[in-house]
Amino acid sequence: MTKPVRVGLIGYGFMGRTHSNAYRQVSKFFDIEHTPVLQACCARSEDKIKDFADNWGWESYETDWRKLIERDDIDLIDITTPNNSHHDIAIAAAEAGKMVLCEKPLAMNVAEAVAMTEAIEKAGVANMVWFNYRRVPSITLAKQLVDEDRIGRPFHYRAQYLQDWTIAEDVPQGGATLWRLDAKVAGSGVTGDLLAHSIDSAIWLNGPITSVSAATETFIKERVHQETGEKTKVEIDDACMFLARFANGSMGTFESSRYARGRKNFNTFELNGEAGSVYFDLEDPQILQFFEYANPTTGKKVEDHLTGWRRIHVTNFEHPYMDKWWVPGCTIGYEHTFTNALADFFQGLDTGKPTQPDFRAALETQKVCDAVLQSAKEKQWVEIA
């Protein structure tokens, strides 16, 4: 017997669509007891949210998120709004006893993230933060290889997240579509928007980051603000590079930019260890590259004539999540990562074992993001509290 979970979605933009698609698909592909009901969605513009509700099959809509949270027919609040609203919505939802899912980054800063985490844990409500790249099957397989000790003692972690969509000087900032360029709404630029993903993946694969040394750059200093029509100072970071030290003794390099001409969503990582290495590129997401140097069971070096990087096509039934989708050889895409994440969340409700990353885990990523920005400002190494 299924257990309905009545969902209230806040936001109708890019993430609102990806989440809506996941809610519609998850119970069709995954065997879960708790299944979502698209109860209500919410946004300030009545015309837009009504059209969104009609298109995606939401049963009703609201134009005030507070009224949505107050409704007795809502069990779960899903936050897909800009970053500056996460804090108030999450705390109100937790205090109302609702389950809470929240888009990344968790908050504008560590202070907000701490308050949100404390409210969630005090209320004891189920929660998750949508770091969806953990649910790319190739990245999940990389985690499996790490857990199987196929990488061994780690030495280096390096990550890049590159895009090119803000290079033109006539791109405005602010408003409903370009709020990511407005520091008052986004909190930061590529650090919170892109590197938050890289940092979450790094912590998941390679453990806690203990200190960072960073540099940031804003290439275009002023842009027209969409809401005022006036040129205002750009306060977000267009590019960020930082060095990192991990608790396990390994070293890391991270780079992110929205000024990498030709890169649309170039999200990569490589982990080098004593026994092997893994490499992933989101623009080729069905492939995980693996170099095996030593057998994890025997500890013996692989024969010389058999060493070399191998390209694993991650579509077989034995690969993470792939037994829920198509036949081997057929790939899945970006939207499926959200469905996989949602399935994990609902299976966590089924088993009583909470899924990750929750607010507490996302707080650790927020700490690193804040330390990166502090380091860039102070031009020195910063320890992670």
Side-chain angles (χ1 to χ4, degrees):
M1 181 179 293
T2 61
K3 302 174 183 178
V5 176
R6 299 165 296 181
V7 178
L9 175 77
I10 306 177
Y12 65 91
F14 177 28
M15 287 299 106
R17 289 186 292 139
T18 60
H19 292 202
S20 294
N21 180 69
Y23 287 119
R24 295 192 64 82
Q25 298 296 330
V26 64
S27 58
K28 295 179 174 63
F29 288 91
F30 289 83
D31 183 17
I32 49 177
E33 295 177 19
H34 289 79
T35 58
V37 176
L38 281 68
Q39 195 75 4
C41 54
C42 179
R44 288 174 294 183
S45 170
E46 183 167 9
D47 289 344
K48 291 180 179 179
I49 197 62
K50 182 180 184 303
D51 290 343
F52 180 86
D54 291 343
N55 183 61
W56 286 100
W58 291 91
E59 295 183 10
S60 61
Y61 66 87
E62 298 283 355
T63 56
D64 184 339
W65 61 262
R66 295 170 183 82
K67 291 184 178 179
L68 181 71
I69 289 175
E70 291 171 357
R71 286 176 50 163
D72 293 332
D73 62 345
I74 298 294
D75 304 308
L76 181 153
I77 294 294
D78 187 356
I79 306 167
T80 73
T81 51
N83 305 341
N84 65 339
S85 61
H86 292 184
H87 171 271
D88 291 355
I89 297 173
I91 290 177
E95 291 176 346
K98 314 292 186 183
M99 292 178 271
V100 186
L101 306 186
C102 185
E103 258 304 328
K104 47 61 58 183
L106 181 58
M108 296 281 279
N109 50 54
V110 167
E112 284 192 358
V114 167
M116 295 162 68
T117 302
E118 290 176 348
I120 287 285
E121 292 178 349
K122 180 180 179 180
V125 294
N127 62 97
M128 184 182 74
V129 179
W130 290 89
F131 281 107
N132 61 296
Y133 292 138
R134 290 196 187 195
R135 271 68 185 201
V136 176
S138 297
I139 297 181
T140 311
L141 179 59
K143 171 64 172 173
Q144 181 180 330
L145 297 183
V146 170
D147 291 345
E148 292 172 351
D149 202 28
R150 295 180 185 274
I151 307 303
R153 177 189 172 189
F155 297 126
H156 296 287
Y157 190 98
R158 62 187 61 85
Q160 288 183 304
Y161 204 150
L162 309 177
Q163 298 177 345
D164 71 353
W165 61 277
T166 65
I167 294 178
E169 293 191 21
D170 59 356
V171 174
Q173 64 174 314
T177 55
L178 291 167
W179 59 265
R180 287 177 176 82
L181 303 187
D182 185 346
K184 295 180 178 62
V185 180
S188 66
V190 296
T191 299
D193 189 34
L194 304 182
L195 282 175
H197 274 303
S198 300
I199 293 164
D200 174 75
S201 296
I203 293 173
W204 191 46
L205 293 169
N206 198 40
I209 295 172
T210 58
S211 60
V212 296
S213 178
T216 61
E217 184 57 68
T218 302
F219 295 111
I220 296 178
K221 311 300 184 182
E222 291 186 329
R223 293 184 184 274
V224 172
H225 199 286
Q226 284 200 104
E227 293 180 339
T228 66
E230 298 179 358
K231 261 198 172 184
T232 57
K233 183 180 179 181
V234 177
E235 297 180 310
I236 56 100
D237 44 303
D238 291 325
C240 177
M241 297 189 297
F242 73 92
L243 305 176
R245 291 192 178 277
F246 289 82
N248 60 20
S250 63
M251 304 170 68
T253 62
F254 293 77
E255 178 191 9
S256 186
S257 177
R258 294 188 181 130
Y259 282 70
R261 181 68 79 188
R263 296 300 187 186
K264 302 306 177 185
N265 204 32
F266 185 73
N267 177 9
T268 71
F269 66 78
E270 181 170 321
L271 174 60
N272 307 126
E274 188 173 18
S277 296
V278 288
Y279 173 82
F280 171 79
D281 173 4
L282 185 64
E283 292 186 347
D284 197 9
Q286 72 278 3
I287 299 296
L288 180 68
Q289 296 190 41
F290 173 55
F291 182 92
E292 185 178 28
Y293 179 80
N295 184 291
T297 302
T298 65
K300 293 183 178 180
K301 181 181 179 297
V302 175
E303 295 176 80
D304 288 341
H305 69 293
L306 296 178
T307 59
W309 283 92
R310 69 182 71 164
R311 285 168 54 89
I312 305 172
H313 196 251
V314 188
T315 59
N316 288 345
F317 290 149
E318 61 267 30
H319 291 143
Y321 302 106
M322 293 310 298
D323 63 330
K324 306 300 182 186
W325 294 105
W326 319 122
V327 297
C330 295
T331 62
I332 63 174
Y334 175 78
E335 73 275 16
H336 298 88
T337 66
F338 292 89
T339 308
N340 293 344
L342 198 58
D344 286 347
F345 175 77
F346 284 126
Q347 286 170 348
L349 297 182
D350 294 348
T351 63
K353 184 180 179 180
T355 192
Q356 292 292 319
D358 59 8
F359 275 47
R360 175 63 61 178
L363 170 59
E364 297 308 307
T365 293
Q366 191 76 50
K367 289 179 181 179
V368 178
C369 288
D370 278 26
V372 165
L373 296 174
Q374 179 186 345
S375 173
K377 183 178 180 180
E378 297 178 354
K379 296 181 171 55
Q380 63 182 6
W381 280 88
V382 172
E383 300 291 323
I384 310 299

